[in-house]
Amino acid sequence: MRSMGTGPGQQRSRPSRVAVMRQSSISKDRTYSGTLMSGFCVRIGAVHFQWMKLSKQGHAMISMDEGKWLVPFKGRGSSAYTQLNFLWQHENVFVMDNHRAAMWCWLQRIKPTSSHSLFHIDQHYDTRTSHMNEWLKKVPSCWDIPIEDYLSLTVAHPAIGEIPLLSWDNYLSIYLELFGRHLNSVNFATHRVGERPKQEIWEHDVWDVPENLDYWLKPELAPWIMNVDLDYFFCDASDDQPPQRFLSPDFISGVFDVIARKRNDGTIGVVTIALTSTKDLTGGWGPAVETARLGLSRLGIDFALP
């Protein structure tokens, strides 16, 4: 095994803030007063301080306003199965609450009929195939469609009528069925929940991920799809308790630090992150958003929902 240089037990510093000073007019009575203003601004007498959040790499953090709300935030409702409450993008990073939109995001940044690779980090395989023949009949002949059309694709269910074609447990199996022959390497780090992919895959144990992720994401197999579900960092608790985040902040930061480096050097072509903010998988919106803020801060994104 090859070490990525920082294991889950090592302490990492939080994003820092820096003061950038510029001269402003001196008040007539030269009284020094401080007022905290939006954007981390403080005016003290003759000196104006502009505070900016910085990423770990020392760059200014990207705010949510600097990205695109491809699906505007609808509120903290259910994220189960097919409900998508938001989809946000900055460059090749896409964040959503439900993984069903991930395939559309990949198709915006990856040419699926050219050689590429996939790394899937998730509690679940997301590769249900129970009605694959019916699903494939409903996929569009051209995937150059807006997100609204993608989400509106439907398929007939024998008991309840038309249902969304793409859900949180079949978007990946459909992608593998359509484009799997173009994948150089298919990697899964999961809790091995759900139907295992029919394709040949590499499976990785959770404890091996921080130390080896950098090594597994080989540049010669690029571009990589990096697909992360935050429920990976959670596990079931006792019967009367919500799921608990069982992996430490250092573990999570270590994983996202590798993703940041590999994204910056071009090895990763697209990053999709799902919050899966359901009470039975992550404990709900609170824990899911907190984990998203931690992970995305390592990518230089100051994640916050309206």
Side-chain angles (χ1 to χ4, degrees), residues 216-283:
W216 293 329
L217 294 171
K218 296 179 182 294
E220 59 267 28
L221 301 177
W224 284 83
I225 294 170
M226 175 54 68
N227 189 44
V228 182
D229 193 323
L230 299 184
D231 68 4
Y232 180 76
F233 304 109
F234 292 78
C235 68
D236 291 336
S238 58
D239 292 340
D240 58 345
Q241 296 293 321
Q244 301 294 312
R245 199 172 75 187
F246 76 105
L247 296 170
S248 72
D250 286 330
F251 183 107
I252 297 168
S253 295
V255 168
F256 278 92
D257 283 345
V258 175
I259 294 173
R261 288 200 302 274
K262 293 293 185 175
R263 173 179 174 251
N264 290 339
D265 70 16
T267 301
I268 291 176
V270 60
V271 180
T272 43
I273 300 170
L275 273 65
T276 308
S277 47
T278 58
K279 289 185 177 180
D280 60 332
L281 292 173
T282 58

Side-chain angles (χ1 to χ4, degrees), residues 81-99:
Y81 199 59
T82 61
Q83 180 62 38
L84 184 72
N85 290 291
F86 78 92
L87 174 60
W88 180 88
Q89 174 194 2
H90 174 68
E91 297 177 348
N92 64 346
V93 177
F94 296 81
V95 187
M96 63 206 78
D97 64 304
N98 187 314
H99 237 154

Side-chain angles (χ1 to χ4, degrees), residues 108-174:
Q108 309 312 301
R109 308 294 301 198
I110 295 286
K111 185 177 180 181
T113 54
S114 296
S115 295
H116 61 293
S117 299
L118 169 75
F119 208 109
H120 177 69
I121 298 177
D122 195 313
Q123 266 195 37
H124 311 82
Y125 287 117
D126 291 359
T127 50
R128 181 167 62 95
T129 60
S130 56
H131 297 87
M132 183 60 72
N133 290 336
E134 289 84 353
W135 298 338
L136 292 178
K137 293 175 184 177
K138 293 294 184 176
V139 300
S141 57
C142 174
W143 284 100
D144 185 17
I145 58 176
I147 184 62
E148 294 81 8
D149 290 357
Y150 170 94
L151 296 173
S152 297
L153 295 170
T154 61
V155 64
H157 188 283
I160 58 178
E162 293 292 315
I163 61 171
L165 171 63
L166 294 138
S167 62
W168 65 1
D169 63 354
N170 76 351
Y171 70 94
L172 182 48
S173 53
I174 291 175

